[in-house]
Amino acid sequence: MRPGLCPGGTYAAKPAPPGKTSKVILALLILVAALAIVAPAHRVAAAAATSGTFTDLGPQARAITIHKGAVGTDATGRPLLYAVVYGDAASVTEPGTFVVMDLNTRQVVKSFPLAGQTAAWAITVDDSNRKVTIGSYRGGRVYRYDPDTQTLANLGAPVPGAVVLYVMSAGRGCAVYGGTYPGAGVFAVSGTGTLYNLGTAWSGETHALSTALKLDGTEDILYIGTGGTGRLVRHNLGTGAKADILPAAFTGEKEVYDLNYVSGRLIAKMHPSLTAAVLDPDTGAADTLTDGDSGQTVITFPIGSRGVSPLAPDGRSVYYTDADGLSRLDLTTKTFSDVKDSSGAVINLQGSAIAWGWVALNDPNYPRGMAARSSGRHRGRPLSTARSSATTWPTRLSPTRRSRCCRARTCTPLLSTSATPTTPPMTVAPARYISAIEAADRRIGQILDAISTRPSYADEEWTTIVVTDHGHRDGGGHGQRTRWERTAWIAAAAPASPPAMSTHATSTWRRRSSPRRARRSTQRTASQAYPSAPGPSRPR
C-alpha cells in the first residue's frame, strides 16, 4: 500500500538571497559519549540519612544526549538541523525536547518539549515538502514539524502497545515508513498525517530497527531490518509479498541495525559485528569490497555511525564514521578508506555520526565539504581543504539517565555545601528500585547459602565475584564501543580480595590499543563468506 498524498504537490526550492555565497556542505550529527558535565552549581546540602532510607541528592551530572538527527531546510533555503534532546518522560519541566538549529548561525531557532516522552530514535525529513517526522520513545508517538510555519503536531500512536518507534524513511506522496518495538511492527504516516498500522515485519522478531525505500523502478520496495534473529525483509508495498534476503554469510548477526538505499545498492549495518555490507537490493547478494588502506578484499566494512550519508555531489561517494574517524565508501570502485587531513592523519570527529545531509552554507570556509554536528559539539570539514571547526550544541543540559546521587543507610554525605537544594530530598527511594536491589540480594544469597552447605566448605576458600556484562550509555542502550559501554564494575568478596576488585574495575581486557584496526581484522573476507563448496542455507 502507498498511504496518503503530499498536500500542495511538489515545490521549487528558493535560491539563496542575492549577495550571499551558497556552499555545498555535508552536515552530520555526531554522538559524543563523553559529554557528561558535572554541575557544581547544582550541589545540594546533604540531609542526615537514617538507617534503611535513601536520600535523593539530585542529578549528579547533566549532559546532552541525542540518539538520532536529521538535516533539512525551510522555505527560504536556510539549512536546519533537527534532533530530540534526551529528557525525563515523567518530568513536567524537562521531558524530551525537539530542537531546531540553524546550521549557518549554529543557534537554536525553535524548541518544543515533548510531554511524556523521553527521546527519539526516529527522525526524518521528506525533501518533497521539507516536513520533519519524529518517532518518540517511551510513548511510541509520531510528531510532525513544518519548518515553514514552525509548528509541531502530535499525530498519535501508530501501533497500539509500541514503546519505541525506530528509524523512518520518506516515500512517495510524502508518506513516511517506520518500525516499532516490541513486536517488530511496521507503520506508515501519510502526507496528511493519517497513521497506518502495516502489521508485523516478520513473525517472531522483536524489533523493526531500520527501514529503507527503493522507489526507482516499477515497484515500491520497503526494506526492514529487524532485531531478534536478525533479518533483512524485502516488502513489496504493491503486492504485500515479503522475503528475507539477508545472505547466509551473516547468520551470526542478531540485528540489521541501519539501512540506506543509495545508487541502486542497499547498505546494511549489522550488530553485533558493527560492520556493513553493500547488497543487491533484489537478491541480497553481497558485493566484494576493497579496503583502500590495507588492500584486503572483504564483503563488509567497519562502521560506527547511524548508517551512511546521502550520495555526495561527486555522484559516487558516501561517508560514515568508524571508531570516531571519518571514512568514505566509493560505490563505483567498491573501495572504502579513511578520510585524512592535510597532515595525513585520519579526521577524528570525536564520536559516531547520527545524522547526515548535504546542505548549502553561507560560509566561505566550507567551499564544498562537510560539517559535523554533535549532541554536544559541532564539527565541520570542507572536503577540499580539510579545515575543521567545532562549536557547542546551544541548548540546555539534561539530567543524565540514572544520574541521581543517592545516599543509603548510614553512609557519610556525598556532597556538602550551604547551597539551597534544587529539588526537595526524598526520604524513600522509588519502590521498584528498592525491589530490584532486594531481588538481586536474594539471588546472591541463595548462591552463597548453597555454597555454605558443601560438606567440605570449612576447608575451602571461596571468592565471590559480581560483575556486569557491559556498561551503559547515559542516554540509554549499549552495544557500541564507547568507553562507557566497555566499562563494567566488579564487586568481589574473598578472604583477601584485591582492593581494585572490591570497588570498581574497568574491563580492560575488552579494550584494544587500536579499536579501528582491530575491528577491520574481524571483517569477513570474500573467501570466508563464500566457500568453494556450497554450504547449507541460512538456518533460522
Side-chain angles (χ1 to χ4, degrees):
M1 63 172 296
R2 302 178 181 86
L5 296 175
C6 182
T10 59
Y11 77 101
K14 294 185 178 181
K20 291 190 176 181
T21 304
S22 180
K23 307 298 181 184
V24 177
I25 216 159
L26 177 61
L28 303 83
L29 194 63
I30 307 297
L31 178 61
V32 179
L35 290 176
I37 301 174
V38 175
H42 294 283
R43 290 180 179 174
V44 298
T50 60
S51 178
T53 64
F54 283 80
T55 301
D56 184 355
L57 303 182
Q60 69 194 35
R62 287 175 175 261
I64 296 171
T65 302
I66 298 172
H67 298 318
K68 193 75 173 69
V71 177
T73 63
D74 62 14
T76 68
R78 176 175 60 168
L80 300 170
L81 179 69
Y82 305 106
V84 175
V85 178
Y86 182 93
D88 182 355
S91 171
V92 175
T93 59
E94 293 185 322
T97 302
F98 173 62
V99 177
V100 182
M101 190 185 85
D102 185 324
L103 278 170
N104 276 322
T105 65
R106 277 46 161 193
Q107 295 299 312
V108 170
V109 297
K110 205 74 176 175
S111 64
F112 300 86
L114 305 180
Q117 309 302 308
T118 300
W121 285 106
I123 181 168
T124 190
V125 175
D126 188 335
D127 292 333
S128 66
N129 66 0
R130 299 180 297 276
K131 292 184 179 180
V132 186
T133 306
I134 305 152
S136 72
Y137 84 89
R138 295 299 185 238
R141 303 189 72 83
V142 174
Y143 298 81
R144 183 160 282 171
Y145 176 71
D146 187 335
D148 299 344
T149 62
Q150 294 191 331
T151 56
L152 181 73
N154 182 345
L155 303 182
V159 179
V163 176
V164 184
L165 303 186
Y166 283 110
V167 179
M168 299 182 291
S169 301
R172 297 188 195 275
C174 301
V176 172
Y177 298 83
T180 74
Y181 166 83
V186 181
F187 66 91
V189 188
S190 73
T192 57
T194 303
L195 303 177
Y196 296 85
N197 183 346
L198 305 185
T200 302
W202 198 272
S203 178
E205 296 297 276
T206 57
H207 299 65
L209 292 166
S210 55
T211 59
L213 283 160
K214 174 188 174 184
L215 306 173
D216 54 1
T218 57
E219 299 176 318
D220 288 357
I221 305 298
L222 173 66
Y223 299 93
I224 309 158
T226 72
T229 58
R231 297 178 184 271
L232 175 51
V233 180
R234 185 181 188 274
H235 180 192
N236 188 314
L237 293 174
T239 66
K242 295 181 182 179
D244 177 11
I245 63 170
L246 193 66
F250 307 128
T251 298
E253 303 292 353
K254 300 302 182 184
E255 297 172 336
V256 179
Y257 206 78
D258 287 296
L259 289 171
N260 296 92
Y261 182 76
V262 187
S263 293
R265 308 311 283 173
L266 189 62
I267 302 174
K269 173 187 173 182
M270 296 164 288
H271 179 267
S273 70
L274 294 180
T275 61
V278 181
L279 308 176
D280 183 292
D282 295 322
T283 66
D287 291 345
T288 298
L289 310 173
T290 300
D291 185 333
D293 298 313
S294 70
Q296 185 181 18
T297 300
V298 296
I299 62 166
T300 61
F301 60 92
I303 181 172
S305 56
R306 296 307 311 269
V308 301
S309 76
L311 191 66
D314 65 7
R316 59 189 295 168
S317 304
V318 293
Y319 291 82
Y320 60 96
T321 56
D322 167 37
D324 298 352
L326 183 64
S327 298
R328 171 180 172 267
L329 170 64
D330 188 321
L331 290 172
T332 301
T333 64
K334 305 295 173 63
T335 300
F336 61 93
S337 58
D338 298 330
V339 178
K340 301 177 180 179
D341 61 19
S342 56
S343 70
V346 177
I347 298 294
N348 187 346
L349 297 181
Q350 302 180 29
S352 296
I354 55 175
W356 308 88
W358 294 99
V359 297
L361 292 185
N362 301 321
D363 187 340
N365 291 321
Y366 295 88
R368 185 179 173 84
M370 180 173 295
R373 186 69 191 87
S374 80
S375 53
R377 189 183 305 273
H378 179 283
R379 181 166 295 276
R381 177 188 180 275
L383 296 182
S384 60
T385 64
R387 182 185 294 109
S388 64
S389 63
T391 57
T392 301
W393 177 255
T395 187
R396 65 173 174 81
L397 301 179
S398 302
T400 58
R401 189 178 186 185
R402 302 182 183 88
S403 70
R404 304 199 73 81
C405 262
C406 291
R407 178 161 52 89
R409 302 186 184 280
T410 57
C411 300
T412 56
L414 297 176
L415 297 172
S416 180
T417 177
S418 59
T420 302
T422 56
T423 56
M426 292 192 307
T427 57
V428 181
R432 287 188 300 173
Y433 190 70
I434 294 292
S435 177
I437 294 173
E438 292 174 342
D441 184 68
R442 284 193 298 270
R443 295 187 187 104
I444 295 172
Q446 290 172 356
I447 296 173
L448 297 180
D449 288 344
I451 292 173
S452 66
T453 62
R454 289 170 54 86
S456 56
Y457 178 72
D459 300 321
E460 298 171 341
E461 289 187 355
W462 281 82
T463 298
T464 304
I465 300 174
V466 179
V467 60
T468 64
D469 58 340
H470 51 70
H472 214 270
R473 295 194 296 272
D474 282 340
H478 57 84
Q480 302 293 321
R481 296 175 182 267
T482 66
R483 172 188 173 187
W484 313 114
E485 292 158 279
R486 297 199 309 266
T487 300
W489 59 262
I490 297 175
S497 297
M501 293 187 65
S502 61
T503 54
H504 182 281
T506 301
S507 54
T508 53
W509 63 275
R510 294 188 63 185
R511 294 190 179 185
R512 305 181 178 104
S513 59
S514 177
R516 185 180 182 83
R517 295 302 169 196
R519 283 172 61 188
R520 288 194 173 178
S521 69
T522 64
Q523 293 166 178
R524 297 178 180 84
T525 64
S527 60
Q528 289 171 331
Y530 300 113
S532 56
S537 60
R538 185 171 190 246
R540 289 298 185 187

